[in-house]
Amino acid sequence: MLDYEKAISVAEQKCADRGIRFTRRRKQVLAVLIKADAALSAYEIAELCDADGDSKMPAMSVYRILELLQDGNLIHRLELANKYVSCSHISCSHKHKQSQFLICDSCRHVEEIDLSSEAVDALRVAASAAGFNSISSQLEIKGWCAQCQPSRN
Amino acid sequence: MLDYEKAISVAEQKCADRGIRFTRRRKQVLAVLIKADAALSAYEIAELCDADGDSKMPAMSVYRILELLQDGNLIHRLELANKYVSCSHISCSHKHKQSQFLICDSCRHVEEIDLSSEAVDALRVAASAAGFNSISSQLEIKGWCAQCQPSRN
DNA sequence: GTTGAAACGATATAGTGTATCTTTTACTCC
DNA sequence: GGAGTAAAAGATACACTATATCGTTTCAAC
């Protein structure tokens, strides 16, 4: 899990750089995602904000804020399963054009990994052979983490 | 695109083997998927059945039939994009435990490919290093086919 | 304080999918 | 051929994910 305090301060700085506010709502959403350390749906995020805070978080706000956080590279949207996860590189200077995710099909824990360039090249070659000139910079792979044994395949 | 007649006859045989009927509705859904040669949503399939046939195809029936066809390994469900596609191996004896798909983000054309064992191994190794003991037997990769240039990444 | 843009709230609605119950179809047994 | 039976299909309701739109609030600059 990320260093929470550091991630929040980085997020504050990034918002300042973009000339936008890092409001209570935005902080709530990011905090929930960081603390969850798993992929959450927008509505799950709203519920956790409700539980955490004082006032009700509308789902619409969550969607707006998720989009904003995504534009700031603070979170990622996982298309497999329609869920969202905090970027594991918020608080490091590491630039990453590519995003690769392992998603546990059981507990939804997400690991953001760096595939070897050989592995990525192998995918590109296979894609090229099948007539695909380019592949997405985001790769999502479902699996089962060490804590969860595969129940199905 | 698949040999339509052959694929249908194989599907008939597979249903007979399972002791279930290959009804008009089931044939309609499979036929639409084979002829489309692209990933379709359940509701798109229903619409195409409507256009093709004489009576209205209810969406619920489509979902039921898709599940049944999937159980018979006649089609695949693509979780990226919530769409369905006919199995490219319907009419060949080729057994495939693994399924790997390239999905064009623009035209939704799907290629079912066979990754080299080296590429798959590289993914497994990376997953293992990140604490994932096993990965899904279905891999979905978004990209852009030769006809569609990448508009975004 | 006024103003204006950003942020948020609220409602409506579209798309995807599941649950449940009823009706129809088709096969078997007589 | 007709009744009984189970599979298949129809129909309705509803949950979840997501977007569109419009009104309201907040906050910083002036």
Side-chain angles (χ1 to χ4, degrees), chain A residues 20-21 23 25-26 60-61 64:
Chain A
I20 61 173
R21 285 177 253 164
T23 64
R25 290 310 206 186
R26 290 169 185 181
M60 302 306 96
S61 295
R64 260 192 301 236

Side-chain angles (χ1 to χ4, degrees), chain A residues 20 54 62 68 70 129:
Chain A
I20 61 173
D54 40 348
V62 175
L68 177 138
Q70 197 178 1

Side-chain angles (χ1 to χ4, degrees), chain A residues 90-146:
Chain A
I90 290 182
S91 54
C92 67
S93 55
H94 174 200
K95 294 270 177 198
H96 62 308
K97 300 289 289 180
Q98 298 271 332
S99 305
Q100 292 127 13
F101 302 96
L102 290 166
I103 307 163
C104 180
D105 210 33
S106 174
C107 69
R108 293 180 311 179
H109 172 70
V110 173
E111 284 289 333
E112 194 171 348
I113 61 173
D114 279 305
L115 282 181
S116 67
S117 57
E118 289 77 16
V120 175
D121 285 345
L123 294 180
R124 284 192 200 288
V125 166
S128 182
F132 274 61
N133 296 329
S134 58
I135 61 176
S136 167
S137 61
Q138 179 162 319
L139 184 64
E140 303 173 32
I141 306 172
K142 277 200 177 177
W144 292 269
C145 72

Side-chain angles (χ1 to χ4, degrees), chain B residues 12-143:
Chain B
E12 269 172 353
Q13 187 56 54
K14 278 200 181 183
C15 285
D17 293 347
R18 294 167 71 195
I20 61 174
R21 283 178 254 163
F22 189 63
T23 64
R24 165 175 144 270
R25 289 310 205 185
R26 290 169 185 182
K27 185 173 178 177
Q28 270 187 293
V29 168
L30 184 59
V32 161
L33 270 178
I34 291 172
K35 288 177 177 167
D37 197 28
L40 300 177
S41 76
Y43 284 78
E44 286 170 334
I45 292 168
E47 278 176 26
L48 287 170
C49 288
D50 291 348
D52 186 57
D54 40 348
S55 66
K56 185 156 178 57
M57 172 72 81
M60 302 305 94
S61 295
V62 174
Y63 278 108
R64 259 192 302 237
I65 291 167
L66 287 172
E67 189 180 355
L68 177 139
L69 293 175
Q70 198 178 1
D71 289 345
N73 297 312
L74 293 163
I75 65 167
H76 298 285
R77 173 187 153 87
L78 299 175
E79 296 189 84
L80 276 178
N82 298 322
K83 289 189 168 48
Y84 304 83
V85 69
S86 59
C87 175
S88 64
H89 302 127
I90 289 183
S91 54
C92 67
S93 55
H94 174 199
K95 294 271 175 197
H96 62 309
K97 301 289 288 181
Q98 299 271 333
S99 305
Q100 292 127 12
F101 301 97
L102 291 166
I103 306 163
C104 181
D105 210 33
S106 174
C107 70
R108 294 178 313 178
H109 173 69
V110 173
E111 284 289 332
E112 194 171 349
I113 61 172
D114 280 303
L115 281 181
S116 67
S117 56
E118 289 78 17
V120 175
D121 285 346
L123 293 180
R124 285 193 199 289
V125 167
S128 182
F132 274 60
N133 295 329
S134 57
I135 61 175
S136 166
S137 61
Q138 179 163 320
L139 184 64
E140 304 173 30
I141 305 172
K142 277 199 178 179

Side-chain angles (χ1 to χ4, degrees), chain A residues 24-109:
Chain A
R24 165 175 146 269
R25 290 310 206 186
R26 290 169 185 181
K27 186 173 177 177
Q28 270 186 293
V29 169
L30 184 59
V32 161
L33 271 179
I34 292 173
K35 289 176 178 168
D37 198 27
L40 299 177
S41 76
Y43 283 78
E44 286 170 333
I45 292 168
E47 278 176 27
L48 288 170
C49 289
D50 290 349
D52 186 57
D54 40 348
S55 67
K56 184 155 177 59
M57 172 71 82
M60 302 306 96
S61 295
V62 175
Y63 278 107
R64 260 192 301 236
I65 292 167
L66 287 172
E67 189 180 357
L68 177 138
L69 294 175
Q70 197 178 1
D71 289 345
N73 297 313
L74 293 164
I75 65 167
H76 298 285
R77 174 188 151 88
L78 299 176
E79 295 190 83
L80 276 178
N82 298 321
K83 290 188 167 50
Y84 305 84
V85 70
S86 59
C87 176
S88 64
H89 301 127
I90 290 182
S91 54
C92 67
S93 55
H94 174 200
K95 294 270 177 198
H96 62 308
K97 300 289 289 180
Q98 298 271 332
S99 305
Q100 292 127 13
F101 302 96
L102 290 166
I103 307 163
C104 180
D105 210 33
S106 174
C107 69
R108 293 180 311 179
H109 172 70

